[in-house]
Structures are given as C-alpha cells and as structure tokens.
Amino acid sequence: RSWNTTRFDCGNFDVMAASFRDEYFLIPFVTRTYTTMCVFTTIAVQLGIITPFQLYFNPALIFTHYQLWRLVTNFLFFGPIGFNFLFNMIFMYPMLWSSEALLVSQPRPPFLCSL
C-alpha cells in the first residue's frame, strides 16, 4: 500500500465508547453524579462560561437575592484545571466510592447527609 491509499483506522470506536459507557454506569450513583458535576463545573469555569465568583458561598446573596445554587456549587469547584484539581479528584473519587459501597444498605439521603 502507498500512503495515499492507506486509510487511517482508529480501531473499533463503537466498542471503546460502549466500554467507557458501561464502566461509567458501573460507578455508584452518588459518586458518578458528584464527580460528573465537579468536572462539568470546572470545565465551565475554564471555558469562561461562568466565573468562580458565581459559585462561592455568600449568605447575603443566598438569602437576599435568592441565589440558591450557591448552596451546592461551592462544593463542586476545586479551582482551575491543573494539579490541584487532579489531586482533589484522585483522592475524592475512591473515598466516595468506598463510602457509598459501605453504606449501600442505607438509602441515598442518609449517605448524602453523611457527606
């Protein structure tokens, strides 16, 4: 074959995507949801869609301007993408997974309160 007729083959993408999807849905629900929300929040800040000032906990803004998302979003943002974010995710993910696995006999609300 010459380089002009060689088709670039990146493998079986459908199998890889299905494998990733299957692995993703094997993660316990709370761990999967929290980790995904952390990643999306950090990407949104990194892309400039939102600013960290829209995420931090500020009681005055929560109670006077009813910005209730601040009750949750301050737990989702670990700073810009970098080593700090990477290490927070590396240490948080197995801790959440093992905690959720230990408390599997309890319903989700008590587990969420224990976080």
Side-chain angles (χ1 to χ4, degrees):
R1 291 180 167 173
S2 70
W3 70 275
N4 291 341
T5 59
T6 304
R7 194 175 117 211
F8 180 71
D9 186 18
C10 61
N12 194 345
F13 183 75
D14 294 334
V15 172
M16 291 187 322
S19 175
F20 177 76
R21 185 179 57 241
D22 292 343
E23 289 297 322
Y24 178 75
F25 284 107
L26 284 176
I27 300 170
F29 177 76
V30 174
T31 303
R32 179 179 65 229
T33 304
Y34 182 72
T35 305
T36 303
M37 289 172 61
C38 289
V39 170
F40 283 144
T41 303
T42 302
I43 289 172
V45 170
Q46 196 72 25
L47 293 175
I49 298 169
I50 56 175
T51 67
F53 296 111
Q54 294 170 316
L55 303 175
Y56 75 97
F57 183 80
N58 185 339
L61 292 174
I62 292 170
F63 296 115
T64 60
H65 295 286
Y66 304 107
Q67 297 180 359
L68 299 177
W69 66 85
R70 292 178 185 269
L71 293 169
V72 176
T73 56
N74 62 332
F75 296 108
L76 301 177
F77 182 63
F78 296 122
I81 295 177
F83 285 119
N84 187 31
F85 175 74
L86 180 67
F87 280 109
N88 277 322
M89 296 305 287
I90 287 172
F91 289 115
M92 180 210 49
Y93 178 75
M95 182 212 47
L96 279 175
W97 184 313
S98 61
S99 298
E100 194 170 359
L102 287 173
L103 299 172
V104 76
S105 62
Q106 296 181 1
R108 287 190 185 115
F111 174 70
L112 290 174
C113 291
S114 70
L115 293 177

mmCIF file with all atom_site columns, all heavy atoms in Angstrom, residues 23-36:
data_model
loop_
_atom_site.group_PDB
_atom_site.id
_atom_site.type_symbol
_atom_site.label_atom_id
_atom_site.label_alt_id
_atom_site.label_comp_id
_atom_site.label_asym_id
_atom_site.label_entity_id
_atom_site.label_seq_id
_atom_site.pdbx_PDB_ins_code
_atom_site.Cartn_x
_atom_site.Cartn_y
_atom_site.Cartn_z
_atom_site.occupancy
_atom_site.B_iso_or_equiv
_atom_site.pdbx_formal_charge
_atom_site.auth_seq_id
_atom_site.auth_comp_id
_atom_site.auth_asym_id
_atom_site.auth_atom_id
_atom_site.pdbx_PDB_model_num
ATOM 1   N N   . GLU A 1 23 ? -18.469 1.173  31.867 1.00 0.00 ? 23 GLU A N   1
ATOM 2   C CA  . GLU A 1 23 ? -17.673 1.427  33.059 1.00 0.00 ? 23 GLU A CA  1
ATOM 3   C C   . GLU A 1 23 ? -18.202 2.630  33.833 1.00 0.00 ? 23 GLU A C   1
ATOM 4   O O   . GLU A 1 23 ? -18.234 2.627  35.057 1.00 0.00 ? 23 GLU A O   1
ATOM 5   C CB  . GLU A 1 23 ? -16.201 1.658  32.691 1.00 0.00 ? 23 GLU A CB  1
ATOM 6   C CG  . GLU A 1 23 ? -15.475 0.415  32.234 1.00 0.00 ? 23 GLU A CG  1
ATOM 7   C CD  . GLU A 1 23 ? -15.389 -0.642 33.321 1.00 0.00 ? 23 GLU A CD  1
ATOM 8   O OE1 . GLU A 1 23 ? -15.196 -0.293 34.503 1.00 0.00 ? 23 GLU A OE1 1
ATOM 9   O OE2 . GLU A 1 23 ? -15.523 -1.827 32.986 1.00 0.00 ? 23 GLU A OE2 1
ATOM 10  N N   . TYR A 1 24 ? -18.609 3.663  33.101 1.00 0.00 ? 24 TYR A N   1
ATOM 11  C CA  . TYR A 1 24 ? -19.146 4.864  33.736 1.00 0.00 ? 24 TYR A CA  1
ATOM 12  C C   . TYR A 1 24 ? -20.401 4.537  34.542 1.00 0.00 ? 24 TYR A C   1
ATOM 13  O O   . TYR A 1 24 ? -20.566 5.014  35.667 1.00 0.00 ? 24 TYR A O   1
ATOM 14  C CB  . TYR A 1 24 ? -19.449 5.916  32.656 1.00 0.00 ? 24 TYR A CB  1
ATOM 15  C CG  . TYR A 1 24 ? -20.049 7.189  33.182 1.00 0.00 ? 24 TYR A CG  1
ATOM 16  C CD1 . TYR A 1 24 ? -19.278 8.124  33.857 1.00 0.00 ? 24 TYR A CD1 1
ATOM 17  C CD2 . TYR A 1 24 ? -21.404 7.457  33.001 1.00 0.00 ? 24 TYR A CD2 1
ATOM 18  C CE1 . TYR A 1 24 ? -19.833 9.296  34.340 1.00 0.00 ? 24 TYR A CE1 1
ATOM 19  C CE2 . TYR A 1 24 ? -21.968 8.629  33.475 1.00 0.00 ? 24 TYR A CE2 1
ATOM 20  C CZ  . TYR A 1 24 ? -21.175 9.542  34.144 1.00 0.00 ? 24 TYR A CZ  1
ATOM 21  O OH  . TYR A 1 24 ? -21.732 10.696 34.622 1.00 0.00 ? 24 TYR A OH  1
ATOM 22  N N   . PHE A 1 25 ? -21.284 3.719  33.998 1.00 0.00 ? 25 PHE A N   1
ATOM 23  C CA  . PHE A 1 25 ? -22.526 3.402  34.700 1.00 0.00 ? 25 PHE A CA  1
ATOM 24  C C   . PHE A 1 25 ? -22.355 2.326  35.765 1.00 0.00 ? 25 PHE A C   1
ATOM 25  O O   . PHE A 1 25 ? -23.292 2.051  36.514 1.00 0.00 ? 25 PHE A O   1
ATOM 26  C CB  . PHE A 1 25 ? -23.633 3.041  33.705 1.00 0.00 ? 25 PHE A CB  1
ATOM 27  C CG  . PHE A 1 25 ? -24.193 4.251  33.025 1.00 0.00 ? 25 PHE A CG  1
ATOM 28  C CD1 . PHE A 1 25 ? -23.901 4.519  31.705 1.00 0.00 ? 25 PHE A CD1 1
ATOM 29  C CD2 . PHE A 1 25 ? -24.987 5.147  33.724 1.00 0.00 ? 25 PHE A CD2 1
ATOM 30  C CE1 . PHE A 1 25 ? -24.399 5.649  31.082 1.00 0.00 ? 25 PHE A CE1 1
ATOM 31  C CE2 . PHE A 1 25 ? -25.495 6.280  33.117 1.00 0.00 ? 25 PHE A CE2 1
ATOM 32  C CZ  . PHE A 1 25 ? -25.197 6.534  31.790 1.00 0.00 ? 25 PHE A CZ  1
ATOM 33  N N   . LEU A 1 26 ? -21.172 1.732  35.883 1.00 0.00 ? 26 LEU A N   1
ATOM 34  C CA  . LEU A 1 26 ? -20.888 0.831  36.994 1.00 0.00 ? 26 LEU A CA  1
ATOM 35  C C   . LEU A 1 26 ? -20.533 1.594  38.266 1.00 0.00 ? 26 LEU A C   1
ATOM 36  O O   . LEU A 1 26 ? -20.571 1.042  39.359 1.00 0.00 ? 26 LEU A O   1
ATOM 37  C CB  . LEU A 1 26 ? -19.742 -0.121 36.636 1.00 0.00 ? 26 LEU A CB  1
ATOM 38  C CG  . LEU A 1 26 ? -20.094 -1.266 35.698 1.00 0.00 ? 26 LEU A CG  1
ATOM 39  C CD1 . LEU A 1 26 ? -18.844 -2.062 35.345 1.00 0.00 ? 26 LEU A CD1 1
ATOM 40  C CD2 . LEU A 1 26 ? -21.148 -2.167 36.299 1.00 0.00 ? 26 LEU A CD2 1
ATOM 41  N N   . ILE A 1 27 ? -20.183 2.861  38.123 1.00 0.00 ? 27 ILE A N   1
ATOM 42  C CA  . ILE A 1 27 ? -19.851 3.695  39.273 1.00 0.00 ? 27 ILE A CA  1
ATOM 43  C C   . ILE A 1 27 ? -21.142 3.942  40.054 1.00 0.00 ? 27 ILE A C   1
ATOM 44  O O   . ILE A 1 27 ? -22.189 4.209  39.462 1.00 0.00 ? 27 ILE A O   1
ATOM 45  C CB  . ILE A 1 27 ? -19.242 5.032  38.805 1.00 0.00 ? 27 ILE A CB  1
ATOM 46  C CG1 . ILE A 1 27 ? -17.974 4.782  37.997 1.00 0.00 ? 27 ILE A CG1 1
ATOM 47  C CG2 . ILE A 1 27 ? -18.960 5.950  39.981 1.00 0.00 ? 27 ILE A CG2 1
ATOM 48  C CD1 . ILE A 1 27 ? -17.447 6.010  37.289 1.00 0.00 ? 27 ILE A CD1 1
ATOM 49  N N   . PRO A 1 28 ? -21.083 3.870  41.383 1.00 0.00 ? 28 PRO A N   1
ATOM 50  C CA  . PRO A 1 28 ? -22.297 4.129  42.175 1.00 0.00 ? 28 PRO A CA  1
ATOM 51  C C   . PRO A 1 28 ? -22.892 5.503  41.863 1.00 0.00 ? 28 PRO A C   1
ATOM 52  O O   . PRO A 1 28 ? -22.176 6.445  41.518 1.00 0.00 ? 28 PRO A O   1
ATOM 53  C CB  . PRO A 1 28 ? -21.802 4.059  43.619 1.00 0.00 ? 28 PRO A CB  1
ATOM 54  C CG  . PRO A 1 28 ? -20.577 3.210  43.563 1.00 0.00 ? 28 PRO A CG  1
ATOM 55  C CD  . PRO A 1 28 ? -19.953 3.484  42.222 1.00 0.00 ? 28 PRO A CD  1
ATOM 56  N N   . PHE A 1 29 ? -24.199 5.625  42.012 1.00 0.00 ? 29 PHE A N   1
ATOM 57  C CA  . PHE A 1 29 ? -24.950 6.790  41.544 1.00 0.00 ? 29 PHE A CA  1
ATOM 58  C C   . PHE A 1 29 ? -24.441 8.118  42.116 1.00 0.00 ? 29 PHE A C   1
ATOM 59  O O   . PHE A 1 29 ? -24.203 9.071  41.379 1.00 0.00 ? 29 PHE A O   1
ATOM 60  C CB  . PHE A 1 29 ? -26.436 6.616  41.874 1.00 0.00 ? 29 PHE A CB  1
ATOM 61  C CG  . PHE A 1 29 ? -27.269 7.789  41.489 1.00 0.00 ? 29 PHE A CG  1
ATOM 62  C CD1 . PHE A 1 29 ? -27.603 8.009  40.165 1.00 0.00 ? 29 PHE A CD1 1
ATOM 63  C CD2 . PHE A 1 29 ? -27.691 8.698  42.450 1.00 0.00 ? 29 PHE A CD2 1
ATOM 64  C CE1 . PHE A 1 29 ? -28.364 9.102  39.795 1.00 0.00 ? 29 PHE A CE1 1
ATOM 65  C CE2 . PHE A 1 29 ? -28.455 9.799  42.092 1.00 0.00 ? 29 PHE A CE2 1
ATOM 66  C CZ  . PHE A 1 29 ? -28.785 10.003 40.768 1.00 0.00 ? 29 PHE A CZ  1
ATOM 67  N N   . VAL A 1 30 ? -24.303 8.217  43.426 1.00 0.00 ? 30 VAL A N   1
ATOM 68  C CA  . VAL A 1 30 ? -23.906 9.489  44.046 1.00 0.00 ? 30 VAL A CA  1
ATOM 69  C C   . VAL A 1 30 ? -22.490 9.858  43.632 1.00 0.00 ? 30 VAL A C   1
ATOM 70  O O   . VAL A 1 30 ? -22.205 11.013 43.294 1.00 0.00 ? 30 VAL A O   1
ATOM 71  C CB  . VAL A 1 30 ? -24.042 9.415  45.581 1.00 0.00 ? 30 VAL A CB  1
ATOM 72  C CG1 . VAL A 1 30 ? -23.505 10.671 46.238 1.00 0.00 ? 30 VAL A CG1 1
ATOM 73  C CG2 . VAL A 1 30 ? -25.492 9.179  45.974 1.00 0.00 ? 30 VAL A CG2 1
ATOM 74  N N   . THR A 1 31 ? -21.586 8.897  43.632 1.00 0.00 ? 31 THR A N   1
ATOM 75  C CA  . THR A 1 31 ? -20.203 9.147  43.221 1.00 0.00 ? 31 THR A CA  1
ATOM 76  C C   . THR A 1 31 ? -20.150 9.599  41.770 1.00 0.00 ? 31 THR A C   1
ATOM 77  O O   . THR A 1 31 ? -19.455 10.567 41.431 1.00 0.00 ? 31 THR A O   1
ATOM 78  C CB  . THR A 1 31 ? -19.357 7.874  43.411 1.00 0.00 ? 31 THR A CB  1
ATOM 79  O OG1 . THR A 1 31 ? -19.445 7.456  44.771 1.00 0.00 ? 31 THR A OG1 1
ATOM 80  C CG2 . THR A 1 31 ? -17.914 8.117  43.041 1.00 0.00 ? 31 THR A CG2 1
ATOM 81  N N   . ARG A 1 32 ? -20.868 8.920  40.912 1.00 0.00 ? 32 ARG A N   1
ATOM 82  C CA  . ARG A 1 32 ? -20.895 9.266  39.485 1.00 0.00 ? 32 ARG A CA  1
ATOM 83  C C   . ARG A 1 32 ? -21.460 10.667 39.271 1.00 0.00 ? 32 ARG A C   1
ATOM 84  O O   . ARG A 1 32 ? -20.895 11.473 38.535 1.00 0.00 ? 32 ARG A O   1
ATOM 85  C CB  . ARG A 1 32 ? -21.726 8.226  38.738 1.00 0.00 ? 32 ARG A CB  1
ATOM 86  C CG  . ARG A 1 32 ? -21.850 8.484  37.253 1.00 0.00 ? 32 ARG A CG  1
ATOM 87  C CD  . ARG A 1 32 ? -22.654 7.411  36.556 1.00 0.00 ? 32 ARG A CD  1
ATOM 88  N NE  . ARG A 1 32 ? -24.040 7.418  37.006 1.00 0.00 ? 32 ARG A NE  1
ATOM 89  C CZ  . ARG A 1 32 ? -24.714 6.343  37.390 1.00 0.00 ? 32 ARG A CZ  1
ATOM 90  N NH1 . ARG A 1 32 ? -24.148 5.168  37.387 1.00 0.00 ? 32 ARG A NH1 1
ATOM 91  N NH2 . ARG A 1 32 ? -25.963 6.441  37.777 1.00 0.00 ? 32 ARG A NH2 1
ATOM 92  N N   . THR A 1 33 ? -22.552 10.982 39.944 1.00 0.00 ? 33 THR A N   1
ATOM 93  C CA  . THR A 1 33 ? -23.189 12.285 39.776 1.00 0.00 ? 33 THR A CA  1
ATOM 94  C C   . THR A 1 33 ? -22.305 13.407 40.300 1.00 0.00 ? 33 THR A C   1
ATOM 95  O O   . THR A 1 33 ? -22.093 14.414 39.617 1.00 0.00 ? 33 THR A O   1
ATOM 96  C CB  . THR A 1 33 ? -24.548 12.302 40.503 1.00 0.00 ? 33 THR A CB  1
ATOM 97  O OG1 . THR A 1 33 ? -25.342 11.226 40.009 1.00 0.00 ? 33 THR A OG1 1
ATOM 98  C CG2 . THR A 1 33 ? -25.268 13.615 40.292 1.00 0.00 ? 33 THR A CG2 1
ATOM 99  N N   . TYR A 1 34 ? -21.756 13.234 41.494 1.00 0.00 ? 34 TYR A N   1
ATOM 100 C CA  . TYR A 1 34 ? -20.923 14.281 42.086 1.00 0.00 ? 34 TYR A CA  1
ATOM 101 C C   . TYR A 1 34 ? -19.649 14.504 41.265 1.00 0.00 ? 34 TYR A C   1
ATOM 102 O O   . TYR A 1 34 ? -19.280 15.649 40.992 1.00 0.00 ? 34 TYR A O   1
ATOM 103 C CB  . TYR A 1 34 ? -20.574 13.928 43.528 1.00 0.00 ? 34 TYR A CB  1
ATOM 104 C CG  . TYR A 1 34 ? -19.751 14.993 44.209 1.00 0.00 ? 34 TYR A CG  1
ATOM 105 C CD1 . TYR A 1 34 ? -20.325 16.205 44.564 1.00 0.00 ? 34 TYR A CD1 1
ATOM 106 C CD2 . TYR A 1 34 ? -18.406 14.795 44.481 1.00 0.00 ? 34 TYR A CD2 1
ATOM 107 C CE1 . TYR A 1 34 ? -19.580 17.188 45.181 1.00 0.00 ? 34 TYR A CE1 1
ATOM 108 C CE2 . TYR A 1 34 ? -17.661 15.774 45.090 1.00 0.00 ? 34 TYR A CE2 1
ATOM 109 C CZ  . TYR A 1 34 ? -18.244 16.972 45.445 1.00 0.00 ? 34 TYR A CZ  1
ATOM 110 O OH  . TYR A 1 34 ? -17.503 17.948 46.036 1.00 0.00 ? 34 TYR A OH  1
ATOM 111 N N   . THR A 1 35 ? -19.002 13.450 40.856 1.00 0.00 ? 35 THR A N   1
ATOM 112 C CA  . THR A 1 35 ? -17.775 13.574 40.063 1.00 0.00 ? 35 THR A CA  1
ATOM 113 C C   . THR A 1 35 ? -18.065 14.246 38.728 1.00 0.00 ? 35 THR A C   1
ATOM 114 O O   . THR A 1 35 ? -17.320 15.130 38.295 1.00 0.00 ? 35 THR A O   1
ATOM 115 C CB  . THR A 1 35 ? -17.147 12.183 39.839 1.00 0.00 ? 35 THR A CB  1
ATOM 116 O OG1 . THR A 1 35 ? -16.947 11.557 41.102 1.00 0.00 ? 35 THR A OG1 1
ATOM 117 C CG2 . THR A 1 35 ? -15.826 12.291 39.118 1.00 0.00 ? 35 THR A CG2 1
ATOM 118 N N   . THR A 1 36 ? -19.134 13.867 38.077 1.00 0.00 ? 36 THR A N   1
ATOM 119 C CA  . THR A 1 36 ? -19.502 14.473 36.798 1.00 0.00 ? 36 THR A CA  1
ATOM 120 C C   . THR A 1 36 ? -19.810 15.949 36.967 1.00 0.00 ? 36 THR A C   1
ATOM 121 O O   . THR A 1 36 ? -19.373 16.779 36.156 1.00 0.00 ? 36 THR A O   1
ATOM 122 C CB  . THR A 1 36 ? -20.715 13.736 36.196 1.00 0.00 ? 36 THR A CB  1
ATOM 123 O OG1 . THR A 1 36 ? -20.388 12.351 36.055 1.00 0.00 ? 36 THR A OG1 1
ATOM 124 C CG2 . THR A 1 36 ? -21.087 14.306 34.842 1.00 0.00 ? 36 THR A CG2 1
#
